[in-house]
Amino acid sequence: GRRPLMGGQDKPFCSAWPSAVVPQGGHVTLRCHYCHGFNIFTLYKKDGVPVPELCNSIFWNSFLISPVTPAHAGTYRCRGFHPHSPTEWSAPSNPLVIMVTGLYEKPLLTAWRGPTVRAGENVTLSCSSRSSLDIYYLSREGEAHELRLPAVPSVNGTFQADFPLGPATHGGTYRCFGSFRGSPYEWSNSSDPLLVSVTGNPSSSWPSPTELSFKTGIARHLDAVIRTSVAIILFTILLFFLLHRWCSKKKNAAVMNQEPAGHRTVNREDSDEQDPQEVTCAKLDHCVFTRKNHSPFSEAQDTPNRYQHVHRTSKG
């Protein structure tokens, strides 16, 4: 017979698409993801009303339930087909709970201080109904899990539950449902959506993921710009230093080659002609000493012009 293979790595994962909360008459697709890549599986319903189409059935890739009825509400598990033996199946998957909505009258969802609150204020949402519902569920749009609270009779003849959400940080759209204790997966119609808005000082609230990503991107961009600018400035200073040393060596070499050892002192005022390289280096030295008090940014900006000046003078 078939015997399950036990072990955490052999455990498949069961999921519902598009959602595990399904309106009556709608549709839902159950899928069993098995680590070995084989999409053959069986489904088991652990509570509620049995589903006849699951008995002794084997499915490939997915199982579509349409239309959904209250009998489909409950907890499901799947077992994946083991590739190494046709008589062995994986361990049971995680429990997957399917909730069916639209079975009872919709409850009323309200906010204690109104739908618009200041950042940091405590928010409490109240779900109530004239029907004697036992349990209320509060869901927030974009989140997979619901908050659950028992219903309490109120002085005005309704059954309600108050959901304290703590200090307001960001807004959202909320809905609530109700159910009876004997059928916890058969829910009422959804309440009308309630949009909670948060106002006030933005610094007192947590940034949204988009905001956080944007600010992080700006910081990284500025950091890259600063690093690049520093590198350019240092490179320009180094280039200028090397050029100055090269010119000094050329000038000294020219003087050594042109004069005897005993007569190397020359009166520039009495000389009619000078070496072009010496003229060039003299002009460069004059340029250097007249700008010696400038900042690195001034040197970085003037270096290309001085380089062009040296190049033109050498040709002339």
Side-chain angles (χ1 to χ4, degrees), residues 69-246:
T69 68
H72 292 119
T75 305
Y76 294 80
R77 290 179 185 267
C78 74
R79 291 179 186 267
F81 174 76
H82 200 276
H84 302 301
S85 173
T87 62
E88 295 179 338
W89 296 83
S90 72
S93 71
N94 58 295
L96 173 66
V97 179
I98 298 296
M99 284 77 70
V100 179
T101 66
L103 304 180
Y104 318 114
E105 182 182 354
K106 68 180 180 182
L108 176 66
L109 181 61
T110 57
W112 277 19
R113 298 186 179 183
T116 302
V117 297
R118 292 186 61 82
E121 289 185 356
N122 288 327
V123 177
T124 300
L125 303 185
S126 178
C127 189
S128 62
S129 174
R130 295 272 176 193
S131 303
S132 56
L133 297 168
D134 297 314
I135 307 171
Y136 285 109
Y137 309 86
L138 180 70
S139 66
R140 185 177 185 273
E141 194 172 276
E143 294 183 359
H145 302 287
E146 300 83 19
L147 298 176
R148 171 179 170 170
L149 282 178
V152 177
S154 64
V155 294
N156 59 3
T158 63
F159 296 83
Q160 72 179 50
D162 300 323
F163 293 88
L165 303 182
T169 57
H170 54 279
T173 301
Y174 294 84
R175 291 178 173 83
C176 75
F177 306 82
S179 74
F180 291 99
R181 199 174 304 277
S183 305
Y185 305 137
E186 299 176 15
W187 289 4
S188 68
N189 279 308
S190 167
S191 68
D192 292 333
L194 176 65
L195 175 61
V196 177
S197 302
V198 178
T199 62
N201 185 6
S203 63
S204 64
S205 62
W206 293 103
S208 66
T210 304
E211 242 182 326
L212 193 60
S213 174
F214 178 71
K215 291 179 180 178
T216 304
I218 290 180
R220 289 177 178 174
H221 177 71
L222 289 177
D223 184 63
V225 170
I226 292 173
R227 289 176 182 271
T228 304
S229 301
V230 171
I232 292 176
I233 292 171
L234 293 177
F235 176 75
T236 304
I237 294 174
L238 178 62
L239 181 64
F240 172 75
F241 177 74
L242 294 175
L243 183 63
H244 178 62
R245 288 194 60 183
W246 178 79

